Amino acid sequence: MKIIKIFLTLILTGLITVSCEVEEGQNLNGPTTDTVSDDLSRGELQEAMGGALSDMRERLGTQVDAMSVAGREYWRIQSSDPRWTADLLTGVLDNNTFYTTNPYAARYATIKDINLLLTGLENTTADFSNQEIAATRGFANTLKAHELLMVLNHQYKNGIRIDVSDPDNLGPFVPYEEALTTIFQMLSDAAADLSNGGGEFPFSIPSGFAIASTPSDFLQFNRALAARVEVYRGNYASANSLLQNSFMDLSGNLDKGVYFTFSLTGADMTNPLFFALNSTVANARIAHPTFIDDALPGDDRVNKAVLRDEPLTSDNLTGSYDVFVYQSNEDPVAIIRNEELLLLYAEANHISNPAVAVAAIDVVRTAAGLDPYTGGTAPADLVDEILYNRRYSLFAEGGHRWIDLRRFNRLGVLPIDRAGDAIFEQFPIPLTENQ
């Protein structure tokens, strides 16, 4: 039995109800897989979309932690589970344990939510306008593309399954480059739908999507994600064009973006990436010492790691700084934000227009308290500078350092902390996928 099928049997249990009106024929106990896919009502759309958005946050902490440890951004200390400082630092990875199976299953569970919603949208007899259908389809497929990219970043050259609409007849594994191409096309098709989506969505938007709350604004978010994919593919001219149509703003707030949100209310979840300062070996995130040592003098971004009252030692690893990107368990987590877009813009221009690349880099450097860039403008020099800034700007946000060094064939620069430790480039395909 495949892992996707195993983990997707309870796919709509976390749906969020946000409407007090009961439509004719609506299931008072909440939508089921059959009612959603057979004939999607307005009320079911709201609940199904809310469920998908909520499920996108499942196992987010596990995936970000695993990829961040792989990229030596920080060490994840957990006395009850030594695999964080064993497997993930030695590169001897288990294909049937939490850091492999949990993120994989969670992302595909969300994709299943979305596939059911899209099927229901095709079969609906409700009074949705053509614009509302286009807007919903564009929104849903943008989320689906994001989730597939999350799986691909985790699996890399293993490839991923794109077609999982039928759990009993899963599509084949698609190689990395082909998967990126398919994800980009999915985003492009979603963009076309959003362009025809009218002035508003027929469902509520979470507060973390405030800058993308209408189809036209959400289109800018879609274009930002597409630009990330194109930079990964090395299609810089395309990325440059996409960024011009995103919410990128060279003079705007670097934190402007789209976020996962968390709260302490009801059945909601808290930010899984928050730990209090001076946490013990029971649960801690300790910044890798090189994050402090490699920072340029005066770089304010180093303050994302805070000096502990006492160093923490575990499994022959000793660190003095806590990761403190998130100051509370209700802090939002960025899906993508302006600071990343500026650095994508710099990369998209670093060969064809180095002056534009330097201008974008300088916006980020200045915000970090650094002087403008005065180094070389050859492509190799600018890549070094872009990777430095991505390391510090995106620290502990999504495993970016591991992904970046991997795509530039620089994983070898990562430090080896102990004898027997090693660097790896991808997580294994879950065991049950091979059965």
Side-chain angles (χ1 to χ4, degrees):
M1 204 180 239
K2 304 292 191 292
I3 192 171
I4 297 172
K5 183 177 179 182
I6 293 172
F7 282 92
L8 298 185
T9 55
L10 298 176
I11 50 179
L12 291 175
T13 58
L15 298 176
I16 301 171
T17 303
V18 296
S19 172
C20 294
E21 294 185 17
V22 178
E23 298 181 40
E24 183 178 354
Q26 185 175 336
N27 183 351
L28 299 182
N29 294 317
T32 66
T33 58
D34 288 339
T35 61
V36 167
S37 60
D38 288 349
D39 186 358
L40 189 69
S41 71
R42 284 187 178 273
E44 288 168 342
L45 171 60
Q46 179 62 71
E47 294 187 352
M49 190 66 79
L53 286 162
S54 180
D55 285 352
M56 288 177 75
R57 304 171 302 168
E58 292 289 341
R59 303 298 182 178
L60 179 65
T62 304
Q63 181 158 2
V64 172
D65 278 343
M67 293 168 66
S68 297
V69 170
R72 301 304 194 267
E73 294 187 69
Y74 55 80
W75 298 316
R76 176 71 165 86
I77 308 297
Q78 186 176 2
S79 56
S80 64
D81 200 328
R83 288 173 291 186
W84 285 113
T85 51
D87 303 19
L88 288 166
L89 294 179
T90 65
V92 181
L93 301 180
D94 190 335
N95 66 354
N96 194 33
T97 196
F98 70 96
Y99 52 72
T100 296
T101 59
N102 288 356
Y104 190 92
R107 302 288 68 77
Y108 276 115
T110 303
I111 291 165
K112 184 64 175 180
D113 292 346
I114 294 167
N115 283 341
L116 286 168
L117 185 157
L118 290 169
T119 299
L121 196 65
E122 290 179 1
N123 296 330
T124 187
T125 59
D127 61 343
F128 293 112
S129 69
N130 289 337
Q131 286 184 329
E132 288 176 322
I133 289 174
T136 301
R137 191 166 54 224
F139 188 101
N141 277 317
T142 298
L143 300 187
K144 182 178 175 180
H146 173 270
E147 296 297 276
L148 286 169
L149 184 60
M150 290 278 283
V151 181
L152 188 61
N153 283 338
H154 193 257
Q155 290 290 306
Y156 192 44
K157 294 295 186 181
N158 290 330
I160 62 171
R161 296 187 194 274
I162 298 290
D163 181 8
V164 293
S165 57
D166 181 357
D168 294 319
N169 186 27
L170 300 172
F173 278 86
V174 173
Y176 178 74
E177 295 294 345
E178 184 179 343
L180 281 178
T181 299
T182 303
I183 291 167
F184 178 74
Q185 187 59 54
M186 188 178 296
L187 287 166
S188 298
D189 293 343
D193 277 328
L194 291 165
S195 297
N196 295 312
E200 61 184 14
F201 290 111
F203 46 84
S204 299
I205 305 295
S207 60
F209 284 70
I211 71 161
S213 59
T214 66
S216 59
D217 289 340
F218 194 87
L219 176 58
Q220 295 184 337
F221 166 58
N222 170 288
R223 299 293 77 191
L225 291 179
R228 179 190 278 174
V229 174
E230 287 296 77
V231 166
Y232 285 1
R233 297 170 75 196
N235 291 340
Y236 290 139
S238 174
N240 195 30
S241 176
L242 290 161
L243 288 164
Q244 302 294 339
N245 292 294
S246 74
F247 62 86
M248 183 186 73
D249 186 349
L250 285 162
S251 59
N253 186 341
L254 297 186
D255 288 329
K256 178 182 178 181
V258 176
Y259 289 79
F260 294 120
T261 51
F262 306 89
S263 76
L264 300 172
T265 60
D268 202 9
M269 67 178 66
T270 57
N271 182 336
L273 294 169
F274 166 77
F275 284 144
L277 293 175
N278 298 300
S279 295
T280 68
V281 292
N283 265 315
R285 293 182 178 91
I286 303 298
H288 197 280
T290 57
F291 180 73
I292 307 299
D293 297 341
D294 294 348
L296 293 173
D299 192 333
D300 294 340
R301 293 169 295 187
V302 78
N303 295 328
K304 295 176 181 181
V306 176
L307 184 65
R308 295 174 55 87
D309 291 344
E310 298 289 342
L312 184 68
T313 298
S314 179
D315 203 7
N316 294 319
L317 301 167
T318 298
S320 299
Y321 289 81
D322 284 324
V323 174
F324 209 56
V325 173
Y326 309 102
Q327 281 80 57
S328 84
N329 57 6
E330 295 184 274
D331 276 6
V333 173
I335 299 174
I336 194 166
R337 58 189 180 89
N338 191 35
E339 191 164 4
E340 180 183 351
L341 299 189
L342 296 187
L343 293 171
L344 292 175
Y345 187 55
E347 186 175 338
N349 283 281
H350 83 281
I351 298 172
S352 62
N353 199 336
V356 169
V358 170
I361 290 168
D362 282 345
V363 172
V364 175
R365 286 177 62 97
T366 299
L370 297 174
D371 292 332
Y373 176 69
T374 57
T377 56
D381 296 322
L382 289 176
V383 166
D384 289 343
E385 178 65 15
I386 289 164
L387 290 179
Y388 171 84
N389 283 284
R390 285 181 62 86
R391 177 184 184 183
Y392 285 88
S393 289
L394 306 178
F395 174 69
E397 289 189 21
H400 293 282
R401 178 160 167 76
W402 184 56
I403 296 166
D404 290 341
L405 293 179
R406 183 175 67 190
R407 61 194 181 88
F408 279 101
N409 298 312
R410 296 189 183 194
L411 286 174
V413 307
L414 290 173
I416 300 297
D417 301 310
R418 305 163 302 189
D421 283 358
I423 306 299
F424 60 93
E425 67 175 13
Q426 62 198 23
F427 286 81
I429 298 172
L431 173 66
T432 47
E433 282 285 19
N434 297 315
Q435 294 178 347

